[in-house]
Amino acid sequence: MNITTDFLVIGSGIAGLSYALKVADFGQVAVVTKREISETATNLAQGGIASVLSSEDSFAAHVRDTMVAGVYLSDEDVVRMVVQRGPQAIADLINWGVRFSKKDDDTYDLTREGGHSRRRILHAKDMTGQEIERALVEAARNHPNITIYEHHICIDLITDAKAGSSEKRSNRCLGAHVLDIESRKVQTFGARVTVLATGGAGKVYLYTCNPDVATGDGIAMAYRAGATIADMEFMQFHPTTLYHPKAKSFLISESVRGEGAILRRRDGTAFMDQYHELKDLAPRDITARAIDNEMKIHGDESVFLDITHRDPEYIRNRFPHIYETCLKYGIDITTEAIPVVPAAHYVCGGVKVDKWGESDLVNLFAIGEVACTGLHGANRLASNSLLEGVVFAELVAQRSLGRIKEKHEVVPQVKPWDYGKATDSDEEVVVAHNWDEIRRCMWNYVGIVRTNKRLKRALRRLQMIKEEITEYYWDFYPTSDLIELRNIATVAELIVRCARQRRESRGLHYNIDYPERDDVHWKKDTLIRKKL
Ligand code: SIN
């Protein structure tokens, strides 16, 4: 089946839905999403969204905190622009129906997180993402021009080059091939403008607090289509996820530390004062590395996050989701410290885009975690990502609305999917085995602390697995497991290749063989582009 639309949005988190809502009055929007619409990383975000909203804060302070956390690799113009557009982005969310937590005096309750010098995080208790997703989904479902395709997974982007077009103007993106997971048919979406809002890639690692959908699909598809990918070595490990055999890496929000929680060793000693002057509110790269170091030195399986000194009623009211979830696992956070470990959380690199969110493929835009806009540099400042999603949704909307008014941008005609000689797979075990092998390899060799030898080993293994997947891929009908496996293999390789390029340690990339920061040679992005 062929579907044509003005705007094809791939992904249904804060970035994709904000964009859809901004352009829907001007054309038809198709939102394609792999599972149910709310199964996104946005929905799991606990902490909140950063913006300068208090008279005790300033744009300059937010810019400075972002630059410091990003170890001066961020593009300062982009940082300034995002920070200055923050209050408008918050107003957009409130207009769409988001209800942020307020204090008794009816002003917004601002919290703090690691790396922030001021209280500037708006939140909805400890379920901020869920509240944002609720409001945006409701608004999107009610808009007559937005059609939502749930349980549809993109296989690949369609470009001039791949479609064999005689257009030599440039490599334009024309839409995407999409698998309808229920009918198992591949549909062809032709679009004037294609927007990747597919989120991150935490599932590349064995331990992650990301949802199962975070398989780096947008990054892998853009790479295969010939777009430039940047800074993939900067995978952020969240310092504190619940350590419990039955919990699937449940996040313990950094705002718990923002409200006074202290990291302790098994014997109760606080340790963050040995690593950073901001102690428990140090930037994430430093905190995660400190925890990793403490666990290795003392041979412990976790460290402990202690908020028991705060009033139990306050804890239950401010962190109801974390309180209830921990209690389910037998931990009462009002009376005992929470066992925590780091886990893969956020990829700071991604599809390299310009200040309007456009990749180097014409009409292919990227917003949110899938994109590398220059905001996060070598380490994202907590709660800047939801903000980036809304701000760039506006910029991409402005640019793409201009685009569809240009005369030549007729909805492209694209060829249907070619099934070739594909049959049903007879060896699903290959897919399951390769998933596991990639994730273990990345955790063991490309984690918080890296070495040249480990990176080389990882690359060798990943390349072998990738060859196997490619052989398998074209012989069988596509399934979502297979599509995602192909994507995590590509993204894992991109992370290793970027990590091998960067011969220094900076932010989230720490290599024992180059332990120092090298501003002379490496104050720049790592870039990778596939030769087509
Ligand atoms: C958290 O609540 O700690 C996550 C916030 C973020 O990653 O920005």
Side-chain angles (χ1 to χ4, degrees), residues 321-447:
H321 182 47
I322 295 173
Y323 171 76
E324 289 296 340
T325 307
C326 288
L327 203 57
K328 205 170 80 192
Y329 294 111
I331 303 157
D332 179 348
I333 69 170
T334 64
T335 56
E336 55 196 311
I338 314 165
V340 288
V341 287
H345 181 60
Y346 191 93
V347 56
C348 295
V351 181
K352 178 91 183 142
V353 293
D354 63 17
K355 292 194 171 72
W356 297 96
E358 190 164 15
S359 73
D360 43 21
L361 298 190
V362 178
N363 293 344
L364 178 68
F365 295 83
I367 332 176
E369 191 171 348
V370 63
C372 182
T373 62
L375 176 68
H376 307 310
N379 175 40
R380 177 181 65 97
L381 183 65
S383 289
N384 265 358
S385 43
L386 294 178
L387 176 67
E388 182 193 43
V390 188
V391 169
F392 268 89
E394 169 62 24
L395 296 164
V396 173
Q398 283 178 22
R399 177 51 56 103
S400 54
L401 285 176
R403 236 3 113 62
I404 66 160
K405 287 185 197 133
E406 287 171 18
K407 243 171 93 205
H408 58 264
E409 298 305 330
V410 289
V411 178
Q413 291 302 313
V414 286
K415 281 196 245 163
W417 177 258
D418 179 5
Y419 289 91
K421 295 198 176 100
T423 59
D424 277 326
S425 158
D426 53 357
E427 276 196 286
E428 291 290 339
V429 65
V430 177
V431 176
H433 175 87
N434 282 335
W435 257 94
D436 188 60
E437 198 173 337
I438 292 170
R439 300 181 70 206
R440 272 179 206 283
C441 168
M442 291 301 285
W443 186 259
N444 290 332
Y445 296 150
V446 199

Side-chain angles (χ1 to χ4, degrees), residues 412-524:
Q413 291 302 313
V414 286
K415 281 196 245 163
W417 177 258
D418 179 5
Y419 289 91
K421 295 198 176 100
T423 59
D424 277 326
S425 158
D426 53 357
E427 276 196 286
E428 291 290 339
V429 65
V430 177
V431 176
H433 175 87
N434 282 335
W435 257 94
D436 188 60
E437 198 173 337
I438 292 170
R439 300 181 70 206
R440 272 179 206 283
C441 168
M442 291 301 285
W443 186 259
N444 290 332
Y445 296 150
V446 199
I448 296 174
V449 176
R450 300 160 182 180
T451 67
N452 285 347
K453 206 156 129 190
R454 286 183 205 159
L455 292 176
K456 195 168 161 195
R457 267 196 193 135
L459 190 61
R460 236 185 357 239
R461 277 168 173 66
L462 290 169
Q463 282 173 340
M464 268 169 50
I465 298 171
K466 258 188 79 184
E467 267 172 41
E468 205 168 291
I469 295 170
T470 309
E471 274 170 26
Y472 190 90
Y473 197 79
W474 298 110
D475 289 346
F476 300 111
Y477 285 128
T479 63
S480 53
D481 262 2
L482 182 55
I483 293 166
E484 290 178 338
L485 171 67
R486 181 185 181 220
N487 291 338
I488 64 162
T490 301
V491 170
E493 191 190 334
L494 291 170
I495 295 173
V496 177
R497 284 173 57 198
C498 285
R500 276 167 58 92
Q501 272 185 41
R502 184 169 293 282
R503 291 166 184 231
E504 64 159 355
S505 288
R506 182 187 295 266
L508 299 160
H509 174 68
Y510 184 76
N511 183 339
I512 291 174
D513 292 311
Y514 310 108
E516 303 302 327
R517 184 169 121 195
D518 177 357
D519 279 341
V520 176
H521 301 102
W522 281 106
K523 209 168 169 196
K524 61 182 184 188

Side-chain angles (χ1 to χ4, degrees), residues 295-311:
M295 283 163 50
K296 283 189 176 131
I297 290 175
H298 299 284
D300 286 335
E301 287 179 340
S302 74
V303 293
F304 294 83
L305 185 66
D306 180 9
I307 190 160
T308 55
H309 52 285
R310 300 277 329 236
D311 172 35

Side-chain angles (χ1 to χ4, degrees), residues 278-298:
L278 286 171
K279 299 183 193 165
D280 296 274
L281 282 179
R284 273 194 195 159
D285 54 336
I286 290 160
T287 314
R289 228 167 18 249
I291 295 174
D292 186 66
N293 191 41
E294 288 292 324
M295 283 163 50
K296 283 189 176 131
I297 290 175
H298 299 284

Side-chain angles (χ1 to χ4, degrees), residues 228-245:
T228 301
I229 309 297
D231 287 349
M232 291 297 291
E233 68 276 33
F234 298 122
M235 170 58 75
Q236 185 170 73
F237 291 83
H238 195 289
T240 57
T241 59
L242 176 62
Y243 177 71
H244 187 280

